[in-house]
Amino acid sequence: MKIRHFSYLAAAASILSASVNAASLDGPLSSNATTAQMDVTASVDPVIQILHVEDLSFGQLDLTKSFLDDEDITATSTFCVYTNAPSFSLEITTARSVSSQFYMTGANNFEDLTYTVDVVKKVFDGSQFINEDVAEDVTPGEVLTTIAYSNAGYINNSCDTPTETVDNIEIRAYLDEQEVRSVSADDYSDTLLITARTVAGAFGG
């Protein structure tokens, strides 16, 4: 997938150069007083950080029970993305070199157990944090772009509110019950890689 990267530094340098060249003025020759003019400028580079990442676990699955009346088995985890840019993108993939879907592999039998992933963006609506956008059934390597960053409701850059921590991104993973019942007993695992970038596009890919 092609991603267009903005060169914030180059753009800022160009603006800075134009501003300095256009606004600085020498003081004219005078017999008693002269006034010169210069602009004062600064350029702040974009930064981005992912905080509060924890492992995602479906736990021990007891196949003597029915899971939510044959609905998908769900696991969730949240994390905080901070940036000083207006928006950011997220890319979720796995440690596997090539994959068109998310799947865990058994430690002993090497069977694959597929799962699906949704990404939820949370925002402060003035009184509480709500789910603003949901990107459903994300595929490995898909880039979710133009996720607007807002510090509304927070007291710092770590997603802390005056009373608690409320992360702004949630990962929801789903297992199909029938597929779980079709694989052998084993410990299954995968490794998700989450990349955040200060780029723009459209949420959901």
Side-chain angles (χ1 to χ4, degrees), residues 51-134:
L51 305 162
H52 310 155
V53 177
E54 296 184 356
D55 291 335
L56 187 68
S57 176
F58 290 99
Q60 295 291 122
L61 302 178
D62 183 356
L63 298 187
T64 64
K65 301 177 181 178
S66 178
F67 301 97
L68 300 176
D69 298 323
D70 293 329
E71 291 184 8
D72 289 337
I73 305 162
T74 306
T76 63
S77 184
T78 64
F79 56 86
C80 175
V81 176
Y82 162 72
T83 182
N84 61 350
S87 61
F88 61 94
S89 73
L90 282 178
E91 179 183 4
I92 301 177
T93 185
T94 78
R96 308 175 193 279
S97 56
V98 178
S99 178
S100 60
Q101 61 184 349
F102 294 104
Y103 62 92
M104 296 175 282
T105 299
N108 300 303
N109 57 34
F110 302 107
E111 287 185 64
D112 293 334
L113 179 58
T114 62
Y115 62 98
T116 58
V117 170
D118 291 352
V119 178
V120 181
K121 175 195 172 188
K122 297 179 178 293
V123 296
F124 188 69
D125 70 354
S127 61
Q128 62 182 343
F129 283 86
I130 61 172
N131 296 338
E132 182 184 55
D133 288 300
V134 180

Side-chain angles (χ1 to χ4, degrees), residues 146-170:
T146 312
I147 306 173
Y149 176 78
S150 173
N151 61 3
Y154 295 129
I155 60 174
N156 55 28
N157 298 334
S158 302
C159 292
D160 292 329
T161 75
T163 58
E164 60 182 337
T165 298
V166 182
D167 293 327
N168 53 7
I169 298 293
E170 178 182 358

